[in-house]
Structures are given as C-alpha cells and as structure tokens.
C-alpha cells in the first residue's frame, strides 16, 4: 500500500488513519509507544523542514531506523536516473518517504519500488500527509469539519497543500471560500473535480473578509514554481494577513498554515490565540506515525 494522492483515499480510510493517530497521541502522552520493526528511507529532492523531520521523528518514535538520502551528495550528481536510485534504495528499506519537484514522481517511485511509498509532496501536485494532519488538526480544535467555513488564502495555483486540502475539505463537508491574488487562483479543473466528486460548491472572493470564517488556512507564494521571479516578488508584497484582519474575525477563529511562512503572516500574529500553525505542525507526528503503521501493516 502506498500513499501518493489524497484522491486515492476514501472517507473510511481517512477516518481509520485519524483513529490510529489519536491512539498514537495517547501512546506518546503515556510515553509508551508500541514498537514496529523496519527501516524507513527518506528521499527529499526538494528542501523540507517539517515533512522530512516529522517523518523521521515519527519513524524513530515507532522504533524504526531511518536512512537518509541527500540528493546533493548522492550519485544523482553523477547522472544516475531517478528510477535507478529508487530501485537501489528499495533494497535498503521497508518504507520510503519522499519529496520531488516533478509532479508524478511519487507515483513513478511507487511503480518501481516494492516498499510502500509515502508522498511528501510532488511538485505542485499533491501532499496527502499534510492534508491528513490539516484535517486532523481542524477536527481536534473544532470537534468537527462538516459545515465549518474554511477560507483558503494565498497562492492556490501552485500550492500542493491546497490541491490536496480542497479534496479533503470536500470529503468532510466543509464550506470552502477561496481568496487568491490575481493569476494565482486554484485551477478550474481542480475546482470542478472536487465539486463534482463531493457534490458541493466552492466560493471565490476577491478580498479577505474573515467575518464568517471558522478556519483561515494561509499559504505562501510558491516562488520556486514561478517562471518569472519578478512576478512572484510583486505578488508577495500584495497580501499580508495583519493582526487587524484577524481582530475583525470570530474570536475562536483558527489560523492554519502548512509553513514555512514568509511575509504573509507577520510575526505579531504568532502570539494571538487564534494562531495554531505550530500546533498543526506538531500534529504531523501522530498523523505520520499512523500513516507509517498503516502502510507497513498493509
Ligand atoms: C509545504 C510544502 O512543501 O508543500 N510545506 C510543508 O510540507 N509543510 C508548504 C510550502 O512549502 O509552502
């Protein structure tokens, strides 16, 4: 079993993962984690802090050992192909967690590897374990997902976190409002696919208005995916979620961000009780522990 795209999951499987993650949370609290056997290989061909370290930490907490592939110091530099690298690493481990700038790379790895593959992001395409931890966080903080007003703000065109998340929000019956700088809107085919599959309508707005928002989910401008860096720098200056915006919203608004945040959320917001992004990042541990256990045990 692999975890490549949120599209491959049904609601029952997602709920099962949440159940295992809750159990992991309890085991971590009691400092008594049931151990598994095996080795995880982490192959990150793109920069990462949270996804890579939380996969590694989750694996270690479960008693697995971790081998790490460093793209810059590997035979990739000598010209080795991606599939040869994957076939080789497959012989050294029991589970692979990976990230790659090319869309479809995780799917290709899953085809050539016998070990289960966990996709930690493939280009602008998908980031399924991020969506699982995002939904887990909303459920934990709000007690439910269905019926909540979730506002998605930022570079919806290039952010894989958003591409996975709209699918998850549709699955769990949230109401989705999208606010993107001009030219960075979520692509029509993704909107249509999610709306059709989950029989709901997502709303688009030109400006941020948090009056009715229960959850505000922000992402940065994905500069590395712009052909024109000047354009990226220009858009970056256009949107900042200031503390003033947040004061106008509901008292129990939950602010989320997959991180890293750059200028879109100023540091003074971190101290506001609504800011939950570091707690969100911490939830990556029980959720990724659950994903590892699930794919290892089939
Ligand atoms: C995100 C990613 O890599 O897609 N980070 C993450 O995994 N938490 C978001 C981003 O880079 O903006």
């Amino acid at each position: 079993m692999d975890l490549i795209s949120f599209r491959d999951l049904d609601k029952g499987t997602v709920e099962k993962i949440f159940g295992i993650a809750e159990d992991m949370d309890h085991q971590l609290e009691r400092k008594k984690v049931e151990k598994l056997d095996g080795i995880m290989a982490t192959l990150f061909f793109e920069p990462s802090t949270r996804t890579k370290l939380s996969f590694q930490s989750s694996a270690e907490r479960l008693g697995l050992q971790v081998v790490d592939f460093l793209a810059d110091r590997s035979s990739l530099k000598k010209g080795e192909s991606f599939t040869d690298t994957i076939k080789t690493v497959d012989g050294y481990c029991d589970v692979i967690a990976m990230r790659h700038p090319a869309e479809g790379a995780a799917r290709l790895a899953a085809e050539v590897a016998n070990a289960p593959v966990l996709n930690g992001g493939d280009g602008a395409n998908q980031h399924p374990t991020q969506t699982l931890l995002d939904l887990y966080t909303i459920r934990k903080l709000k007690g439910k997902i269905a019926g909540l007003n979730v506002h998605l703000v930022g570079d919806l065109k290039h952010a894989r976190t958003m591409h996975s998340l709209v699918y998850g929000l549709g699955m769990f019956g949230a109401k989705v409002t999208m606010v993107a700088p001009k030219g960075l809107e979520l692509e029509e085919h993704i909107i249509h696919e999610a709306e059709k599959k989950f029989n709901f309508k997502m709303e688009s707005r030109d400006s941020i208005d948090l009056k009715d928002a229960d959850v505000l989910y922000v992402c940065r401008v994905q500069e590395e995916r712009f052909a024109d860096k000047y354009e990226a720098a220009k858009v970056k200056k256009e949107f900042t979620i200031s503390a003033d915006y947040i004061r106008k919203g509901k008292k129990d608004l939950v602010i989320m961000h997959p991180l890293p945040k750059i200028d879109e959320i100023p540091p003074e917001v971190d101290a506001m009780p609504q800011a939950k992004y570091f707690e969100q990042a911490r939830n990556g541990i029980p959720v990724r522990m659950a994903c590892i256990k699930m794919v290892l045990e089939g």
Side-chain angles (χ1 to χ4, degrees):
M1 187 187 178
D2 305 294
L3 184 45
I4 306 301
S5 167
F6 203 85
R7 291 186 188 87
D8 303 335
L9 297 170
D10 58 33
K11 201 170 172 183
T13 309
V14 175
E15 272 165 352
K16 193 170 157 209
I17 296 171
F18 290 164
I20 305 172
E22 265 166 19
D23 186 41
M24 292 298 174
D25 252 335
H26 295 140
Q27 291 188 32
L28 288 166
E29 246 169 62
R30 292 198 306 269
K31 297 196 188 314
K32 250 185 123 175
V33 176
E34 270 172 54
K35 301 294 180 196
L36 297 176
D37 224 2
I39 295 177
M40 163 177 272
T42 45
L43 286 86
F44 280 63
F45 299 81
E46 244 192 17
S48 172
T49 298
R50 277 147 289 270
T51 306
K52 179 167 153 172
L53 290 182
S54 68
F55 262 125
Q56 293 181 335
S57 173
S58 301
E60 301 260 2
R61 292 239 187 260
L62 283 167
L64 294 154
Q65 283 170 298
V66 175
V67 290
D68 190 25
F69 166 85
L70 299 170
D72 284 347
R73 281 184 260 157
S74 71
S75 290
L76 200 69
K77 287 280 167 202
K78 302 178 190 166
E80 186 168 45
S81 73
F82 173 72
T83 48
D84 282 3
T85 302
I86 297 292
K87 280 181 196 162
T88 305
V89 172
D90 187 37
Y92 301 159
C93 68
D94 306 290
V95 54
I96 293 172
M98 66 167 284
R99 166 174 289 181
H100 198 283
E103 299 175 15
R107 183 82 64 198
L108 176 60
E111 274 163 26
V112 299
N114 289 313
V117 174
L118 294 158
N119 181 12
D122 60 322
N125 185 30
Q126 281 279 307
H127 198 347
T129 60
Q130 180 69 44
T131 294
L132 287 167
L133 77 90
D134 294 342
L135 297 174
Y136 185 76
T137 301
I138 297 174
R139 223 182 56 138
K140 205 167 159 182
L141 292 171
K142 292 284 191 190
K144 60 171 188 179
I145 301 169
L148 293 179
N149 282 317
V150 182
H151 287 217
L152 307 179
V153 176
D155 179 356
L156 308 188
K157 180 177 176 179
H158 299 107
R160 55 190 168 213
T161 51
M162 295 292 193
H163 298 169
S164 290
L165 185 59
V166 289
Y167 225 75
L169 292 172
M171 180 183 277
F172 282 87
K175 293 187 197 132
V176 177
T177 301
M178 302 172 285
V179 189
K182 209 167 159 30
L184 298 184
E185 296 89 357
L186 192 63
E187 285 180 10
E188 282 295 321
H189 72 95
I190 298 179
I191 298 179
H192 285 155
E193 187 194 350
E195 286 185 342
K196 201 162 153 235
K197 171 120 183 153
F198 300 110
N199 194 24
F200 77 132
K201 271 257 162 271
M202 300 198 269
E203 197 192 319
S204 288
R205 288 190 196 159
D206 294 335
S207 56
I208 302 164
D209 178 356
L210 297 175
K211 268 200 298 294
D212 67 340
D214 299 300
V215 177
L216 167 66
Y217 193 106
V218 187
C219 76
R220 74 186 166 94
V221 173
Q222 311 277 299
E223 198 170 343
E224 67 276 30
R225 308 206 197 287
F226 277 68
D228 179 354
K229 302 291 176 212
Y230 173 77
E231 190 57 34
K234 209 173 87 190
V235 191
K236 256 170 136 178
K237 287 203 194 105
E238 270 173 38
F239 86 102
T240 308
I241 314 289
S242 67
D244 272 345
Y245 275 124
I246 293 158
R247 281 188 208 104
K248 285 183 202 141
K250 293 186 183 179
K251 284 255 169 318
D252 62 349
L253 172 73
V254 164
I255 308 171
M256 297 173 68
H257 194 306
L259 303 177
K261 60 183 171 65
I262 314 301
D263 302 317
E264 63 282 4
I265 297 188
E268 79 238 29
V269 174
D270 295 0
M272 299 178 86
Q274 292 95 327
K276 302 293 187 197
Y277 24 85
F278 292 111
E279 187 174 337
Q280 176 189 359
R282 272 198 302 279
N283 286 332
I285 299 294
V287 171
R288 292 198 165 103
M289 286 171 79
C291 293
I292 296 168
K293 184 176 163 72
M294 195 184 63
V295 298
L296 273 180
E297 293 181 349

